[in-house]
Amino acid sequence: MSTTEVRRGEPVTTVLTWQVRPGHEHEFEEWTHGITDCARRFPGNEGVSWLRPEDGHRFHAVLRWSDQHRLAAWLESDERATWHGRIRGVATEIGSERQSTTGMETWFSLPGTTGQAPPRWKMVLTTFLGAYPFTLLIQWLVTPSTMSWPLPLRAAVFPVVLLPVLTYLVMPTLSRLLRLWLYPPPDR
């Protein structure tokens, strides 16, 4: 999914990949501290994390932003361009490996692949198919026995039970079972 396909107003996460020249890893790591501090002060930034491989010269920055508009403002900012100028000859951003997500894609990822996430309507329908039976079970089996509990505690039961079940069991299974529908072959 390209960054322009994410609608304005939704949180977005972008992964930037950097190829570092051998022998310049320490210099690059020092640079990451400065550009990270700069990005964190930028409006809409919700965090920056760096992933460093054990071996190799590719580094990955995971940037979280409040919305696509503010992410684009950072990516096109003079501040970022200035920081990029400081790293010339040390590292190069691999633009072809830039990825952006809105969050639900992690429920629909296929191990070992880099394909695009399915259309949102398919993600919503698949999530409904996974969540509805468990919502029904929770309402039928759990809710009646918690009616005397305080509302905040009663309300916590649903996400505490449902979210781990969806994340670790149901959605990976549905993603595999519906693979051909979610990820049609390119010739379709």
Side-chain angles (χ1 to χ4, degrees):
M1 174 180 289
S2 73
T3 55
T4 57
E5 291 173 330
V6 179
R7 289 188 314 203
R8 187 183 274 189
E10 296 178 2
V12 63
T13 299
T14 295
V15 178
L16 307 177
T17 301
W18 289 85
Q19 181 70 37
V20 179
R21 287 182 53 200
H24 292 271
E25 295 82 4
H26 181 71
E27 188 178 348
F28 181 78
E29 287 179 6
E30 287 185 8
W31 174 83
T32 65
H33 296 296
I35 195 166
T36 298
D37 289 342
C38 183
R40 285 184 176 149
R41 289 189 302 269
F42 215 80
N45 181 272
E46 295 180 352
V48 178
S49 301
W50 284 90
L51 307 173
R52 179 176 189 235
E54 290 183 23
D55 288 325
H57 304 285
R58 286 195 178 193
F59 291 69
H60 307 281
V62 180
L63 295 90
R64 291 172 306 283
W65 293 85
S66 60
D67 59 67
Q68 173 58 39
H69 177 71
R70 290 183 179 200
L71 169 62
W74 162 250
L75 293 174
E76 298 165 8
S77 71
D78 292 337
E79 294 93 331
R80 183 172 185 265
T82 299
W83 277 98
H84 277 228
R86 295 178 185 178
I87 205 71
R88 276 197 193 102
V90 172
T92 306
E93 182 184 350
I94 304 171
S96 63
E97 295 192 15
R98 184 179 291 177
Q99 302 173 28
S100 294
T101 66
T102 58
M104 283 187 66
E105 292 89 345
T106 56
W107 272 356
F108 296 92
S109 63
L110 295 173
T113 66
T114 57
Q116 283 189 330
R120 288 182 184 209
W121 70 270
K122 287 185 178 184
M123 289 193 282
V124 168
L125 185 56
T126 304
T127 304
F128 176 81
L129 291 173
Y132 181 75
F134 288 95
T135 302
L136 192 59
L137 279 173
I138 291 169
Q139 294 296 322
W140 178 44
L141 299 174
V142 179
T143 302
S145 61
T146 63
M147 291 306 288
S148 63
W149 296 8
L151 180 60
L153 189 56
R154 249 187 358 232
V157 170
F158 185 79
V160 164
V161 173
L162 185 64
L163 295 179
V165 169
L166 283 177
T167 300
Y168 293 105
L169 178 67
V170 175
M171 296 311 295
T173 303
L174 278 177
S175 190
R176 279 192 306 277
L177 290 174
L178 299 175
R179 175 183 288 199
L180 292 177
W181 179 68
L182 290 167
Y183 309 94
D187 59 338
R188 275 189 168 173

